[in-house]
Amino acid sequence: MPLVAILIAGVAIAFEQAIQWKYGPMGIIAFVVLTIGIKAKNTMFSSIGAVILVMLLSQSG
């Protein structure tokens, strides 16, 4: 079980770093807000984070 938790944490950190590398500080802020919203079951926070990420994704295309 601890190995699975370490692997999941490693994947989460790698994903955060990839977002920050590609989309800068605004990407990491959006990802953190989305994560907080999901964990707190707050639809407003998760929606704001998701909208910011979508805007960043559409801008780079």
Side-chain angles (χ1 to χ4, degrees), residues 12 14 16 40 42:
E16 281 184 27
N42 186 333

Side-chain angles (χ1 to χ4, degrees), residues 25-49:
M26 198 61 187
I28 199 70
I29 289 170
F31 181 70
V32 168
V33 169
L34 177 65
T35 304
I36 289 171
I38 290 171
K39 287 188 182 208
K41 294 184 178 142
N42 186 333
T43 56
M44 184 183 73
F45 266 78
S46 55
S47 298
I48 290 171

Side-chain angles (χ1 to χ4, degrees), residues 13-30:
I13 290 171
F15 186 68
E16 281 184 27
Q17 292 298 319
I19 287 177
Q20 186 174 10
W21 171 73
K22 184 156 176 119
Y23 302 110
M26 198 61 187
I28 199 70
I29 289 170

